[in-house]
mmCIF file of all heavy atoms in Angstrom:
data_model
loop_
_atom_site.group_PDB
_atom_site.id
_atom_site.type_symbol
_atom_site.label_atom_id
_atom_site.label_comp_id
_atom_site.label_asym_id
_atom_site.label_seq_id
_atom_site.Cartn_x
_atom_site.Cartn_y
_atom_site.Cartn_z
ATOM 1 N N LYS A 88 132.096 198.344 160.552
ATOM 2 C CA LYS A 88 132.041 197.358 161.623
ATOM 3 C C LYS A 88 132.184 197.993 163.007
ATOM 4 O O LYS A 88 131.972 197.339 164.026
ATOM 5 C CB LYS A 88 133.115 196.302 161.399
ATOM 6 C CG LYS A 88 132.847 195.464 160.150
ATOM 7 C CD LYS A 88 133.860 194.368 159.952
ATOM 8 C CE LYS A 88 133.534 193.543 158.706
ATOM 9 N NZ LYS A 88 134.521 192.459 158.471
ATOM 10 N N LYS A 89 132.545 199.273 163.049
ATOM 11 C CA LYS A 89 132.624 199.975 164.327
ATOM 12 C C LYS A 89 131.282 200.608 164.713
ATOM 13 O O LYS A 89 131.158 201.237 165.764
ATOM 14 C CB LYS A 89 133.703 201.051 164.255
ATOM 15 C CG LYS A 89 135.107 200.489 164.086
ATOM 16 C CD LYS A 89 136.137 201.609 164.055
ATOM 17 C CE LYS A 89 137.554 201.045 163.897
ATOM 18 N NZ LYS A 89 138.566 202.134 163.870
ATOM 19 N N GLY A 90 130.302 200.474 163.849
ATOM 20 C CA GLY A 90 128.978 200.983 164.166
ATOM 21 C C GLY A 90 128.698 202.374 163.642
ATOM 22 O O GLY A 90 127.621 202.927 163.875
ATOM 23 N N HIS A 91 129.643 202.975 162.921
ATOM 24 C CA HIS A 91 129.419 204.314 162.368
ATOM 25 C C HIS A 91 128.594 204.211 161.087
ATOM 26 O O HIS A 91 128.879 203.394 160.206
ATOM 27 C CB HIS A 91 130.759 204.989 162.071
ATOM 28 C CG HIS A 91 130.607 206.367 161.499
ATOM 29 N ND1 HIS A 91 130.165 207.438 162.245
ATOM 30 C CD2 HIS A 91 130.823 206.843 160.239
ATOM 31 C CE1 HIS A 91 130.130 208.511 161.481
ATOM 32 N NE2 HIS A 91 130.523 208.179 160.260
ATOM 33 N N ILE A 92 127.565 205.058 160.974
ATOM 34 C CA ILE A 92 126.666 205.022 159.821
ATOM 35 C C ILE A 92 126.689 206.378 159.120
ATOM 36 O O ILE A 92 126.567 207.424 159.769
ATOM 37 C CB ILE A 92 125.228 204.677 160.247
ATOM 38 C CG1 ILE A 92 125.183 203.271 160.850
ATOM 39 C CG2 ILE A 92 124.275 204.770 159.055
ATOM 40 C CD1 ILE A 92 123.818 202.888 161.394
ATOM 41 N N THR A 93 126.856 206.337 157.804
ATOM 42 C CA THR A 93 126.845 207.549 156.985
ATOM 43 C C THR A 93 125.679 207.488 156.011
ATOM 44 O O THR A 93 125.471 206.470 155.352
ATOM 45 C CB THR A 93 128.161 207.693 156.198
ATOM 46 O OG1 THR A 93 129.254 207.723 157.117
ATOM 47 C CG2 THR A 93 128.155 208.966 155.361
ATOM 48 N N THR A 94 124.917 208.571 155.915
ATOM 49 C CA THR A 94 123.792 208.640 154.986
ATOM 50 C C THR A 94 124.036 209.735 153.963
ATOM 51 O O THR A 94 124.298 210.888 154.324
ATOM 52 C CB THR A 94 122.482 208.926 155.733
ATOM 53 O OG1 THR A 94 122.246 207.887 156.695
ATOM 54 C CG2 THR A 94 121.300 208.967 154.762
ATOM 55 N N LEU A 95 123.986 209.351 152.690
ATOM 56 C CA LEU A 95 124.223 210.293 151.593
ATOM 57 C C LEU A 95 122.980 210.330 150.709
ATOM 58 O O LEU A 95 122.463 209.287 150.313
ATOM 59 C CB LEU A 95 125.438 209.851 150.761
ATOM 60 C CG LEU A 95 126.749 209.616 151.531
ATOM 61 C CD1 LEU A 95 127.774 208.971 150.621
ATOM 62 C CD2 LEU A 95 127.275 210.931 152.075
ATOM 63 N N THR A 96 122.532 211.527 150.391
ATOM 64 C CA THR A 96 121.350 211.678 149.544
ATOM 65 C C THR A 96 121.670 212.628 148.398
ATOM 66 O O THR A 96 122.270 213.688 148.603
ATOM 67 C CB THR A 96 120.167 212.234 150.352
ATOM 68 O OG1 THR A 96 119.867 211.334 151.426
ATOM 69 C CG2 THR A 96 118.925 212.373 149.473
ATOM 70 N N LYS A 97 121.284 212.220 147.196
ATOM 71 C CA LYS A 97 121.468 213.105 146.045
ATOM 72 C C LYS A 97 120.176 213.192 145.250
ATOM 73 O O LYS A 97 119.423 212.220 145.118
ATOM 74 C CB LYS A 97 122.605 212.605 145.151
ATOM 75 C CG LYS A 97 122.344 211.281 144.459
ATOM 76 C CD LYS A 97 123.505 210.922 143.542
ATOM 77 C CE LYS A 97 123.249 209.604 142.809
ATOM 78 N NZ LYS A 97 124.368 209.257 141.909
ATOM 79 N N ALA A 98 119.909 214.370 144.764
ATOM 80 C CA ALA A 98 118.706 214.591 143.964
ATOM 81 C C ALA A 98 118.886 214.013 142.576
ATOM 82 O O ALA A 98 119.980 214.066 141.992
ATOM 83 C CB ALA A 98 118.396 216.076 143.886
ATOM 84 N N LEU A 99 117.828 213.460 142.036
ATOM 85 C CA LEU A 99 117.839 212.974 140.665
ATOM 86 C C LEU A 99 117.224 214.033 139.773
ATOM 87 O O LEU A 99 116.263 214.707 140.152
ATOM 88 C CB LEU A 99 117.034 211.678 140.555
ATOM 89 C CG LEU A 99 117.537 210.496 141.397
ATOM 90 C CD1 LEU A 99 116.573 209.326 141.277
ATOM 91 C CD2 LEU A 99 118.935 210.063 140.971
ATOM 92 N N LYS A 100 117.777 214.174 138.595
ATOM 93 C CA LYS A 100 117.221 215.148 137.656
ATOM 94 C C LYS A 100 115.843 214.668 137.213
ATOM 95 O O LYS A 100 115.728 213.669 136.509
ATOM 96 C CB LYS A 100 118.159 215.320 136.457
ATOM 97 C CG LYS A 100 119.486 215.976 136.821
ATOM 98 C CD LYS A 100 120.351 216.155 135.581
ATOM 99 C CE LYS A 100 121.667 216.837 135.930
ATOM 100 N NZ LYS A 100 122.526 217.028 134.740
ATOM 101 N N GLN A 101 114.836 215.417 137.627
ATOM 102 C CA GLN A 101 113.469 214.960 137.408
ATOM 103 C C GLN A 101 113.140 214.790 135.938
ATOM 104 O O GLN A 101 112.529 213.818 135.530
ATOM 105 C CB GLN A 101 112.487 215.939 138.052
ATOM 106 C CG GLN A 101 111.043 215.479 138.042
ATOM 107 C CD GLN A 101 110.862 214.248 138.908
ATOM 108 O OE1 GLN A 101 111.636 214.026 139.825
ATOM 109 N NE2 GLN A 101 109.873 213.439 138.605
ATOM 110 N N SER A 102 113.598 215.734 135.125
ATOM 111 C CA SER A 102 113.263 215.669 133.701
ATOM 112 C C SER A 102 113.887 214.449 133.057
ATOM 113 O O SER A 102 113.268 213.746 132.277
ATOM 114 C CB SER A 102 113.747 216.942 132.990
ATOM 115 O OG SER A 102 115.150 217.100 133.156
ATOM 116 N N THR A 103 115.164 214.160 133.430
ATOM 117 C CA THR A 103 115.855 213.006 132.863
ATOM 118 C C THR A 103 115.211 211.708 133.316
ATOM 119 O O THR A 103 114.968 210.794 132.534
ATOM 120 C CB THR A 103 117.340 213.023 133.284
ATOM 121 O OG1 THR A 103 117.921 214.239 132.859
ATOM 122 C CG2 THR A 103 118.071 211.841 132.682
ATOM 123 N N THR A 104 114.913 211.640 134.620
ATOM 124 C CA THR A 104 114.298 210.435 135.159
ATOM 125 C C THR A 104 112.951 210.172 134.517
ATOM 126 O O THR A 104 112.643 209.055 134.104
ATOM 127 C CB THR A 104 114.126 210.566 136.694
ATOM 128 O OG1 THR A 104 115.395 210.845 137.276
ATOM 129 C CG2 THR A 104 113.558 209.292 137.283
ATOM 130 N N THR A 105 112.139 211.218 134.443
ATOM 131 C CA THR A 105 110.810 211.065 133.851
ATOM 132 C C THR A 105 110.909 210.635 132.393
ATOM 133 O O THR A 105 110.166 209.772 131.935
ATOM 134 C CB THR A 105 110.032 212.385 133.955
ATOM 135 O OG1 THR A 105 109.964 212.773 135.333
ATOM 136 C CG2 THR A 105 108.626 212.229 133.394
ATOM 137 N N ALA A 106 111.847 211.230 131.673
ATOM 138 C CA ALA A 106 112.027 210.888 130.259
ATOM 139 C C ALA A 106 112.398 209.425 130.094
ATOM 140 O O ALA A 106 111.901 208.739 129.200
ATOM 141 C CB ALA A 106 113.106 211.785 129.639
ATOM 142 N N LYS A 107 113.280 208.938 130.998
ATOM 143 C CA LYS A 107 113.693 207.536 130.905
ATOM 144 C C LYS A 107 112.522 206.607 131.169
ATOM 145 O O LYS A 107 112.345 205.586 130.508
ATOM 146 C CB LYS A 107 114.826 207.262 131.902
ATOM 147 C CG LYS A 107 116.157 207.854 131.493
ATOM 148 C CD LYS A 107 117.236 207.504 132.509
ATOM 149 C CE LYS A 107 118.597 208.055 132.084
ATOM 150 N NZ LYS A 107 119.649 207.739 133.070
ATOM 151 N N ILE A 108 111.715 206.977 132.196
ATOM 152 C CA ILE A 108 110.564 206.148 132.524
ATOM 153 C C ILE A 108 109.582 206.099 131.353
ATOM 154 O O ILE A 108 109.097 205.043 130.968
ATOM 155 C CB ILE A 108 109.870 206.671 133.794
ATOM 156 C CG1 ILE A 108 110.788 206.471 135.006
ATOM 157 C CG2 ILE A 108 108.535 205.980 134.021
ATOM 158 C CD1 ILE A 108 110.288 207.120 136.268
#
Side-chain angles (χ1 to χ4, degrees):
K88 294 183 179 179
K89 295 181 179 180
H91 180 71
I92 297 176
T93 302
T94 301
L95 306 171
T96 300
K97 66 177 181 179
L99 299 175
K100 293 182 179 180
Q101 187 66 25
S102 58
T103 303
T104 304
T105 303
K107 287 182 178 179
I108 293 172

